[in-house]
Amino acid sequence: MLGHRALTVQDYLIILKRRWWILAIPAIIFPIVGFALTFLVQPQYISQTLVLVEQQKVPESYVKAVVTEDLSGRLASMKEQILSRSRLQPIIERFNLFANSKLSMDERIDLTRKNIGITPIQSEIARTNGLPGFFISFQANDARTAQLVCGEIQSLFVSENLSDRAASAAGTTEFLKSQLADAKAKLDEQDAKLAKFQQTYMGKLPGAEASNMNMLTTLNTQLDAATQALARMEQDRSYAESIMALQQAQQPQTTDRGGVAVAPQAQQLELQQLQSQLADLKARYTDDYPDVVSTQRKVNELERKLAQAPAPSVASASSAPKPTDSLSVQQMRAQLRSMEQAIAQKKRDQAEIQAQLRTYQDRIASSPAVEEEYKSITRDTSTAQTFYDDLLNKIQTAKMATDLERRQQGEQFRVMDEPNLPESPSFPKRSVFIIGGFAGGLALGLFIIALLEYLDTAIRNERDIWAFTKLPTLAVIGFSGEAEPVAMKRNLFGRRSPDVTAGGKPLMNAGG
């Protein structure tokens, strides 16, 4: 009556009681069949090895690792390289994998890839510090072959890791060397440019302002001193010239050469000298100063003498030596020549000091523009020097890392467990086949029972009558004693069943 009305738990129990053998037969037969199939299926063996990732033995505070790529990414990259055709084909040919089936080499390679398993370790360390290791497994029809191929793949991973890290370190070092050469060339160019600039603008560079100002002050002092000295020397020369003129004027009075008197001329020169000296004294002192009073008195006396003397005759005042000069005049002439030479030298010194003054004034005036250009050149030089030093440090680190990898002191794969030789096949599992057969038998039995119940239209109780007629049942009359044989019909499996039953009781319907 399945599908014709809603069934209760009691109905299900009645059905199972009536048709239990349909459920029992497949549930017994199918596990047996499943167990038998395990002897017919080709067994598969899995060999597995554990590879741990050992961190760098030298602390990174001393030597930084060159290879900083994530281990998961590198492992995926190595896996793709190892599972390439060029790597797998020699292994397939060496161990004659999948040679019994008529497969092409491409199909054998694909099948080999499917049978290789790379599984990361799932642990607390893996979740906190990355990938600490991984399992390598290989599945084959033969236990020994699975072990050998698994070991071969494990060796490929270990060697690939070493070569990959060594190649990365060497490549990094070579790249840094080329960068260092370029940086050195640029730094040399900047140094040459800076040296040329310093040579061109020597004395105008930043930092020389204080020395230039000090030098300028010193030169001004020297110029003032030279000017004053020159003025004194010229004054002395004038005085010496007047003295020599006086001596020349006195010479005719002591030496009579043709009766020509030159005393008035000498007095006139002496007067001029005294007047000049008086003017100089008055410029510095008052009229009551003793030297002023004395000089003024001399000037007055000399003017009085000149006024009383006859008209002076023409006399020579030249400083050129004359054979007729007296010894004192010749000495005065030599002294005048010496003074003229000293004055000429002093003038040259003065001109040199003035030239130096102009030089330092030009340096101070051009310092701002020179400083701006100098800063630009030194900034470029400093940048080039910093880049060069940084590259130098990096290349030293890279060399140490390369040596670290060559000594196998860096991060490397360590085989914890060699590939095992499987003692039992991983497939098929007999327990799985038996349980699966039992479950399949139960499912098939339930399906057959459900199908039979769906096709069965027999009325067996009051609920069936209500489901078909929608009329209430007035009474149920039970059979007692010998019952008349009820017309039986055969079901799907040949079993007989009454057409109308009510738990062994006849049914009476009140429908009209």
Side-chain angles (χ1 to χ4, degrees):
M1 295 301 293
L2 190 63
H4 300 288
R5 64 178 177 86
L7 299 180
T8 63
V9 175
Q10 186 178 5
D11 294 331
Y12 284 115
L13 294 176
I14 293 173
I15 292 172
L16 289 176
K17 184 178 179 181
R18 187 171 64 249
R19 300 183 187 277
W20 64 269
W21 53 275
I22 299 177
L23 191 64
I25 291 174
I28 294 173
I29 294 175
F30 275 42
I32 298 173
V33 173
F35 182 75
L37 286 175
T38 59
F39 293 96
L40 302 177
V41 176
Q42 177 67 41
Q44 299 292 324
Y45 296 88
I46 295 178
S47 177
Q48 181 174 274
T49 180
L50 173 60
V51 179
L52 288 182
V53 179
E54 284 190 342
Q55 299 300 320
Q56 181 176 306
K57 295 180 176 62
V58 180
E60 287 200 0
S61 57
Y62 296 101
V63 180
K64 289 187 178 181
V66 174
V67 181
T68 58
E69 185 182 357
D70 181 60
L71 181 59
S72 301
R74 287 197 294 115
L75 185 62
S77 177
M78 282 189 288
K79 180 181 176 183
E80 293 299 325
Q81 293 177 5
I82 291 172
L83 297 185
S84 63
R85 180 187 181 93
S86 59
R87 297 291 185 89
L88 287 182
Q89 185 169 351
I91 297 176
I92 293 173
E93 293 174 352
R94 188 188 312 163
F95 296 100
N96 198 21
L97 298 178
F98 311 110
N100 296 330
S101 56
K102 296 180 179 178
L103 300 175
S104 64
M105 180 54 69
D106 291 337
E107 292 173 339
R108 293 168 69 183
I109 290 173
D110 292 338
L111 195 57
T112 303
R113 287 172 181 163
K114 292 178 182 177
N115 289 339
I116 295 175
I118 308 297
T119 307
I121 294 177
Q122 300 296 332
S123 64
E124 289 295 332
I125 299 177
R127 284 191 287 271
T128 55
N129 295 331
L131 185 69
F134 54 93
F135 291 102
I136 300 174
S137 62
F138 183 74
Q139 179 176 321
N141 298 333
D142 178 64
R144 185 64 179 169
T145 302
Q147 183 188 25
L148 294 175
V149 175
C150 185
E152 189 70 20
I153 296 172
Q154 163 213 298
S155 301
L156 287 177
F157 268 98
V158 174
S159 60
E160 184 68 23
N161 179 59
L162 291 176
S163 61
D164 183 53
R165 292 186 66 86
S168 298
T172 303
T173 303
E174 291 300 322
F175 173 75
L176 289 176
K177 283 182 178 178
S178 63
Q179 291 293 310
L180 185 66
D182 295 340
K184 187 177 184 304
K186 187 174 182 180
L187 180 61
D188 293 341
E189 181 182 354
Q190 283 298 126
D191 288 340
K193 186 176 181 181
L194 179 61
K196 184 178 179 181
F197 185 85
Q198 289 176 339
Q199 185 178 5
T200 303
Y201 296 97
M202 184 177 296
K204 300 179 181 179
L205 299 175
E209 294 88 352
S211 61
N212 288 337
M213 290 299 296
N214 294 332
M215 196 64 191
L216 189 63
T217 303
T218 304
L219 289 174
N220 280 323
T221 304
Q222 292 178 0
L223 181 61
D224 292 340
T227 302
Q228 293 177 6
L230 182 61
R232 285 194 301 272
M233 294 171 70
E234 287 179 346
Q235 186 177 356
D236 294 341
R237 184 185 63 179
S238 299
Y239 181 74
E241 287 176 349
S242 62
I243 296 299
M244 187 184 69
L246 180 61
Q247 292 178 353
Q248 287 178 339
Q250 293 175 352
Q251 189 174 2
Q253 295 177 355
T254 56
T255 306
D256 188 7
R257 291 185 179 179
V260 180
V262 291
Q265 185 177 3
Q267 292 174 348
Q268 185 67 29
L269 292 175
E270 184 179 3
L271 177 61
Q272 292 177 359
Q273 179 65 32
L274 290 173
Q275 288 175 344
S276 177
Q277 185 176 0
L278 179 62
D280 182 60
L281 290 172
K282 284 184 177 181
R284 293 182 291 174
Y285 308 106
T286 60
D287 294 339
D288 298 334
Y289 193 74
D291 292 342
V292 176
V293 174
S294 174
T295 306
Q296 183 64 44
R297 183 173 51 78
K298 292 179 180 178
V299 170
N300 293 335
E301 290 178 357
L302 194 55
E303 286 177 348
R304 183 175 53 81
K305 290 180 180 179
L306 286 174
Q308 294 176 359
S313 60
V314 179
S316 177
S318 175
S319 60
K322 296 179 180 179
T324 58
D325 289 341
S326 62
L327 180 60
S328 60
V329 173
Q330 292 179 359
Q331 290 177 348
M332 288 302 297
R333 289 186 187 281
Q335 185 176 0
L336 277 174
R337 284 197 299 274
S338 175
M339 293 175 70
E340 286 174 355
Q341 292 175 356
I343 289 172
Q345 179 63 37
K346 186 58 68 177
K347 287 182 178 179
R348 287 195 294 271
D349 295 342
Q350 187 182 32
E352 185 178 355
I353 292 172
Q354 289 174 345
Q356 291 182 2
L357 272 174
R358 287 192 295 273
T359 300
Y360 281 97
Q361 287 172 351
D362 177 66
R363 288 180 180 180
I364 293 173
S366 60
S367 289
V370 174
E371 182 178 3
E372 184 177 357
E373 189 175 358
Y374 182 74
K375 284 182 178 178
S376 176
I377 295 176
T378 53
R379 183 169 53 249
D380 294 343
T381 304
S382 177
T383 302
Q385 182 69 48
T386 303
F387 183 64
Y388 177 78
D389 293 340
D390 186 48
L391 283 177
L392 200 60
N393 293 330
K394 286 181 178 178
I395 198 170
Q396 293 297 334
T397 304
K399 287 181 179 178
M400 293 175 66
T402 304
D403 187 62
L404 193 73
E405 296 296 338
R406 188 171 60 252
R407 297 171 184 269
Q408 297 186 5
Q409 297 296 313
E411 180 186 288
Q412 58 181 338
F413 292 166
R414 185 162 66 93
V415 179
M416 287 298 296
D417 298 323
E418 293 293 337
N420 64 317
L421 180 63
E423 298 177 353
S424 61
S426 60
F427 181 85
K429 294 288 185 182
R430 289 190 172 88
S431 59
V432 175
F433 271 71
I434 292 173
I435 294 173
F438 179 73
L442 287 179
L444 180 61
L446 290 174
F447 175 75
I448 293 173
I449 291 173
L451 180 62
L452 291 177
E453 287 298 322
Y454 182 78
L455 298 176
D456 188 6
T457 57
I459 298 174
R460 292 185 173 84
N461 52 34
E462 300 89 345
R463 294 171 61 85
D464 293 342
I465 294 173
W466 173 259
F468 280 103
T469 63
K470 303 301 180 185
L471 294 174
T473 302
L474 295 179
V476 177
I477 302 172
F479 288 101
S480 63
E482 294 293 334
E484 291 293 332
V486 179
M488 306 294 285
K489 67 178 182 180
R490 296 182 180 277
N491 56 19
L492 182 62
F493 297 94
R495 291 172 59 87
R496 294 176 181 273
S497 61
D499 288 339
V500 178
T501 59
K505 299 177 181 178
L507 302 177
M508 181 178 291
N509 188 265

